[in-house]
Amino acid sequence: MRSQALNPILKWAGGKTKLLPAIKELLPENFDDLVFNEPFFGGGSVGLALQPKQAIYSDANSELINFHRVVTSCPSSLIERYYRFKCTKEEFMRVRAWDREPDFTTKYSFIERAARFLFLNKTCFNGLYRVNLEGYFNTSWGKKEELPPINTENLYAVSAYLKQDDIGILNLDFQDTYPAPGEFWYLDPPYLEEGVYNRYTKDEFGLKQHEELVDLCNRIENMGSRFMASNLDTPQVRELYKDYNLHEVNANHVIGGKQTRRKFAKELLITNY
């Protein structure tokens, strides 16, 4: 792990900033000798906090991965393009509609798409990334009065870390990842919450996907590698991971969309060591 502090560039649902002390406390003693694998990279709060020397960061969300790749390779161009957006509802709705265009990924450059991703993240309601069944971004306007600034110093520092030779950024679903010996996996899926909308790609992440994630944990175990998974502390989650070590943590996880309906829930860190 490195000493320079790095912070997530994006606001991301399920970010693990509050859980980091518990995660660090439970890391295996030989963490620095293992290849770090994080198939639900999201906003990157865990990887950026730990800064492993060798890492594979992946996510099923192609626009998210495009954003992280542009941060890595073209940080100055990303910043310049972001500040060309206007902070109005009309601009938000216009830019949000880009992905409805049939040639979205070819009409707009990877830098434009990354700047759009950052713009929507910073100006949508509550920073929530959500798509509909067609895969189109559909979070509403966040009523910002002015364009939120970028912490450019942090963005350049994140870029410097991610562009190292032994760091990989891949657009993969967790089901397409393959464990190997000598690895440490951190697994942070959309939490298994009853009645909660979990769609960060066009495919919903429900009980079936959580069962498949347990299968991945079993394969990691069979390879002799180690994993840590995070989820809510519920009877259903405890049953899924009954063969592993369950560590109770209280990170004040907020569930529910409207502030008046929000409540706090306890979480679990699950390990095979």
Side-chain angles (χ1 to χ4, degrees):
M1 290 181 286
R2 313 293 172 81
S3 57
Q4 182 183 2
L6 298 177
N7 297 310
I9 299 166
L10 301 170
K11 181 177 182 180
W12 201 252
K16 289 296 169 288
T17 302
K18 292 182 179 179
L19 204 60
L20 281 172
I23 290 172
K24 291 178 178 179
E25 186 176 340
L26 285 172
L27 289 175
E29 292 182 1
N30 63 336
F31 174 81
D32 287 332
D33 300 324
L34 302 175
V35 176
F36 186 75
N37 204 317
E38 187 176 2
F40 299 95
F41 190 42
S45 60
V46 174
L48 295 179
L50 301 179
Q51 296 175 56
K53 299 175 183 177
Q54 300 180 73
I56 301 170
Y57 298 119
S58 58
D59 203 285
N61 187 324
S62 59
E63 288 304 297
L64 172 68
I65 290 300
N66 178 70
F67 170 78
H68 287 303
R69 286 173 173 168
V70 170
V71 167
T72 303
S73 60
C74 309
S76 297
S77 297
L78 172 63
I79 293 168
E80 187 275 332
R81 183 63 184 89
Y82 170 80
Y83 279 114
R84 284 163 52 192
F85 288 120
K86 300 175 183 178
C87 192
T88 65
K89 183 177 180 179
E90 292 72 23
E91 178 84 324
F92 176 87
M93 298 303 293
R94 182 184 69 82
V95 174
R96 192 183 78 165
W98 283 7
D99 61 3
R100 275 76 170 169
E101 300 176 34
D103 55 352
F104 167 56
T105 58
T106 55
K107 178 178 179 179
Y108 300 98
S109 70
F110 55 89
I111 293 171
E112 288 177 307
R113 286 163 47 210
R116 168 187 182 267
F117 195 93
L118 183 59
F119 171 70
L120 295 179
N121 180 261
K122 285 184 170 292
T123 58
C124 74
F125 175 73
N126 211 28
L128 177 65
Y129 187 90
R130 185 186 65 191
V131 299
N132 60 20
L133 288 170
E134 289 72 40
Y136 302 144
F137 184 85
N138 68 349
T139 308
S140 61
W141 163 242
K143 300 180 181 179
K144 303 289 184 181
E145 294 183 357
E146 58 185 28
L147 191 64
I150 298 172
N151 183 336
T152 55
E153 181 179 357
N154 178 68
L155 190 148
Y156 281 117
V158 170
S159 176
Y161 166 67
L162 292 177
K163 69 175 53 172
Q164 295 178 92
D165 290 341
D166 290 331
I167 306 295
I169 303 174
L170 305 176
N171 181 206
L172 285 176
D173 191 280
F174 80 94
Q175 297 156 321
D176 298 320
T177 60
Y178 297 93
E183 295 181 333
F184 174 75
W185 290 63
Y186 176 63
L187 307 166
D188 181 37
Y191 279 2
L192 186 56
E193 304 178 36
E194 184 178 355
V196 173
Y197 185 98
N198 279 329
R199 184 173 284 120
Y200 303 105
T201 67
K202 63 182 178 64
D203 301 311
E204 190 170 6
F205 204 101
L207 178 59
K208 179 178 181 292
Q209 288 72 33
H210 281 276
E211 292 171 341
E212 292 169 346
L213 184 58
V214 174
D215 289 340
L216 174 59
C217 291
N218 294 338
R219 288 188 277 123
I220 295 169
E221 169 76 6
N222 292 337
M223 281 290 174
S225 286
R226 297 183 173 185
F227 76 81
M228 180 189 300
S230 48
N231 217 309
L232 286 183
D233 187 355
T234 67
Q236 192 174 33
V237 172
R238 284 179 173 268
E239 177 62 23
L240 283 172
Y241 291 95
K242 62 184 179 182
D243 295 331
Y244 294 109
N245 301 314
L246 307 179
H247 310 270
E248 299 177 11
V249 293
N250 190 348
N252 292 330
H253 171 73
V254 180
I255 59 177
K258 293 185 177 180
Q259 190 168 3
T260 55
R261 299 178 184 174
R262 290 180 180 180
K263 59 181 179 179
F264 295 101
K266 293 184 177 180
E267 297 179 56
L268 288 175
L269 288 176
I270 303 140
T271 64
N272 67 334
Y273 54 89

